[in-house]
């Protein structure tokens, strides 16, 4: 039986996940040629298993990708393992720990000032694709010109992660990577983050750029899903709605109930015994994080959006182990402050769409457009 979601269009994923949790929490999908794990227990075990590697990209030395693009793919923490992963994560952390707190309200106010908030605007384009990267850029002290270029070209930059790139993709990616790498290099050197060792400096630059890439899909997905959940809660009487703790709970439950990231992949580098099955060396594994977040063995009434749930922070959306997301608290804070800003400033939050179309990526569930009215 194949119940792996292959298209988000008109797909209600929760009933599928709940059924699979009950009937097939781990199975081999003949169509995908991959093992698929749904349960919290199995997903957690695989995320923590040192024999379950992140699939690394194949980089053809004869590819028309330029040297900087190839370097970026080889050094990113999110697609590396073992010693390379440890070095890349250390580099990423050195940058992340340098991010200063910024006023999300101020950045959001500036973005919304250019939109027709009362007539209706696309939240994805105005806020989702810009706010997450601007929080990082402003927190690091990038100037307005560099912020503008990176934000405007981020959609091109993230295409570096595509498994199959066209000639036109590569040409556009090469141009974006060259310019953004130069901006990032200038920043790393001037900020004092450079170690003076060319190899380590390259690693820091690549993983700074990696943070830009990572926030584009996951960040906008969280902001869109949090807004949808906020709109549903907007007219309900809730205690202490000016308290940031309320919005932190809302965002955390959103990450469990309607996460932007639904699954992640691994490959077994040695045989893995799980649930009475043997996942053989070299076999691919799909870990359905969004299904694990609905596991009734962990979350009571899992299909219910519940702000008072005592353990909603146990969701697996940010991963676990060495590959857990280093920006998880920054992301929650950004989304929570966004929600609080909207409720403080506007009396009405209206979603103007009844149906949504989604991006073609299957590891993330991202609405293409989210038309909103604020008044």
């Amino acid at each position: 039986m194949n119940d792996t979601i292959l298209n988000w269009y008109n797909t209600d994923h929760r009933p599928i996940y709940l059924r699979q949790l009950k009937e097939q929490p781990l199975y081999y999908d003949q169509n995908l040629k991959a093992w698929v794990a749904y349960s919290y227990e199995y997903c957690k075990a695989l995320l923590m298993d040192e024999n379950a590697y992140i699939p690394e990209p194949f980089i053809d030395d004869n590819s028309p990708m330029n040297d900087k693009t190839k370097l970026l793919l080889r050094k990113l923490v999110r697609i590396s393992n073992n010693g390379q992963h440890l070095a890349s994560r250390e580099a990423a952390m050195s940058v992340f720990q340098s991010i200063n707190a910024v006023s999300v309200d101020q950045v959001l106010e500036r973005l919304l000032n250019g939109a027709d908030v009362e007539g209706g605007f696309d939240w994805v384009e105005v806020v989702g694709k810009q706010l997450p990267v601007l929080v990082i850029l402003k927190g690091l002290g990038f100037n307005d010109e560099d912020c503008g270029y990176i934000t405007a070209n981020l959609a091109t930059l993230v295409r570096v992660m595509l498994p199959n790139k066209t000639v036109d993709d590569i040409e556009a990616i090469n141009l974006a990577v060259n310019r953004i790498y130069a901006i990032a290099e200038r920043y790393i050197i001037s900020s004092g983050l450079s170690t003076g060792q060319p190899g380590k400096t390259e690693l820091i630059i690549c993983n700074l750029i990696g943070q830009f890439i990572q926030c584009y899909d996951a960040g906008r997905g969280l902001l869109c899903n949090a807004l949808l959940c906020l709109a549903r809660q907007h007219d309900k009487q809730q205690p202490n709605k000016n308290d940031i703790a309320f919005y932190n709970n809302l965002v955390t439950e959103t990450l469990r109930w309607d996460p932007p990231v639904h699954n992640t992949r691994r490959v077994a580098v040695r045989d893995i015994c799980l649930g009475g099955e043997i996942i053989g060396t070299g076999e691919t594994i799909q870990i359905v994080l969004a299904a694990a977040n609905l596991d009734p063995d962990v979350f009571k009434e899992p299909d219910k959006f519940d702000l008072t749930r005592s353990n909603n922070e146990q969701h697996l959306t940010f991963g676990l182990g060495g590959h857990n997301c280093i920006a998880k608290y920054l992301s929650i804070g950004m989304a929570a402050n966004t929600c609080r800003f909207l409720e403080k400033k506007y009396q009405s939050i209206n979603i103007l769409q009844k149906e949504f179309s989604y991006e073609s990526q299957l590891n993330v569930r991202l609405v293409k457009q989210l038309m909103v009215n604020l008044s």
Side-chain angles (χ1 to χ4, degrees):
M1 180 168 63
N2 176 25
D3 281 299
T4 305
I5 294 174
L6 300 177
N7 193 323
W8 293 119
Y9 177 73
N10 204 27
T11 298
D12 188 351
H13 57 278
R14 293 187 192 91
I16 295 174
Y17 291 162
L18 289 168
R19 184 177 69 248
Q20 292 300 101
L21 282 163
K22 183 178 180 180
E23 297 177 1
Q24 286 187 313
L26 176 69
Y27 77 104
Y28 187 80
D29 188 304
Q30 293 290 347
N31 292 329
L32 291 180
K33 302 299 181 188
W35 289 91
V36 185
Y38 288 93
S39 76
Y40 193 96
E41 176 188 358
Y42 296 157
C43 288
K44 181 178 179 180
L46 288 164
L47 289 171
M48 299 297 291
D49 197 314
E50 62 182 12
N51 294 318
Y53 274 26
I54 294 284
E56 297 182 19
F58 170 74
I59 303 172
D60 184 354
D61 289 336
N62 296 318
S63 166
M65 289 189 299
N66 64 25
D67 290 343
K68 288 291 189 289
T69 302
K70 292 176 184 176
L71 177 68
L72 181 63
L73 285 171
R74 290 189 174 103
K75 301 297 184 181
L76 288 179
V77 63
R78 63 183 288 195
I79 49 175
S80 60
N81 297 286
N82 288 339
Q84 179 61 63
H85 175 257
L86 292 174
S88 294
R89 188 173 179 86
E90 181 181 356
M93 285 298 297
S94 70
V95 175
F96 185 77
Q97 290 169 350
S98 300
I99 300 175
N100 295 311
V102 299
S103 170
V104 172
D105 288 11
Q106 289 181 8
V107 180
L108 191 54
E109 183 91 61
R110 185 173 177 181
L111 291 174
L112 292 176
N113 279 343
D116 183 4
V117 295
E118 292 189 6
F121 68 99
D122 183 2
W123 178 264
V124 175
E125 293 294 332
V126 174
V127 177
K129 292 182 178 180
Q130 298 190 74
L131 181 61
V133 72
L134 285 172
V135 167
I136 293 175
L137 291 168
K138 295 293 185 181
L140 290 170
F142 278 75
N143 62 46
D144 288 344
E145 181 182 354
D146 290 341
C147 287
Y149 182 85
I150 292 171
T151 303
N153 290 276
L154 194 52
T156 299
L157 176 66
V158 299
R159 285 152 67 187
V160 73
M161 304 304 295
L162 291 173
N164 299 307
K165 305 174 187 67
T166 67
V167 173
D168 288 343
D169 284 333
I170 292 173
E171 182 178 353
I173 291 165
N174 284 341
L175 289 173
V177 169
N178 275 351
R179 176 73 183 275
I180 293 174
Y181 190 97
I183 292 171
E185 182 176 36
R186 184 174 69 247
Y187 169 80
I188 293 299
I189 292 172
S190 65
S191 67
L193 285 171
S194 172
T195 64
Q197 302 176 48
K200 288 189 176 181
T201 299
E202 285 180 346
L203 203 57
I204 295 171
I205 294 167
C206 287
N207 282 284
L208 169 57
I209 297 172
Q211 290 182 32
F212 304 157
I213 294 171
Q214 183 73 1
C215 73
Y216 183 74
D217 284 342
R220 69 166 158 138
L222 174 57
L223 287 171
C224 289
N225 293 354
L227 178 65
L228 289 168
C229 290
L230 177 67
R232 296 187 187 103
Q233 298 290 319
H234 183 69
D235 295 328
K236 296 179 181 179
Q237 293 298 315
Q238 298 285 351
N240 303 318
K241 290 190 78 171
N242 288 322
D243 184 354
I244 193 62
F246 170 84
Y247 300 100
N248 281 330
N249 285 339
L250 183 140
V251 171
T252 302
E253 179 66 345
T254 299
L255 284 162
R256 185 200 67 83
W257 187 75
D258 191 14
V261 179
H262 274 238
N263 59 73
T264 185
R265 290 211 165 200
R266 297 290 190 271
V267 60
V269 295
R270 293 184 180 84
D271 287 358
I272 298 173
C273 181
L274 188 66
E277 302 281 1
I278 299 295
I279 300 173
T281 302
E283 291 189 308
T284 300
I285 310 160
Q286 183 165 296
I287 305 172
V288 189
L289 307 170
N293 292 345
L294 296 174
D295 193 329
D297 288 341
V298 179
F299 303 103
K300 183 180 179 181
E301 297 184 277
D303 199 28
K304 179 182 178 182
F305 186 86
D306 183 2
L307 294 178
T308 65
R309 189 184 304 279
S310 63
N311 67 335
N312 56 14
E313 78 287 345
Q314 288 183 248
H315 66 80
L316 297 182
T317 301
F318 289 122
L320 289 174
H323 280 280
N324 73 90
C325 178
I326 62 176
K328 57 186 178 182
Y329 297 116
L330 176 68
S331 300
I332 292 171
M334 173 195 66
N337 278 290
T338 296
C339 291
R340 184 171 66 170
F341 171 87
L342 293 175
E343 290 228 314
K344 287 169 63 178
K345 187 173 178 67
Y346 301 102
Q347 293 296 314
S348 176
I349 302 173
N350 299 307
I351 307 301
L352 304 180
Q353 293 172 245
K354 292 184 179 179
E355 295 183 355
F356 302 97
S357 57
Y358 296 89
E359 301 289 358
S360 59
Q361 302 114 293
L362 293 177
N363 66 310
V364 287
R365 184 173 178 270
L366 305 171
V367 295
K368 290 183 178 181
Q369 184 182 61
L370 180 55
M371 297 303 297
V372 180
N373 163 281
L374 304 171
S375 59

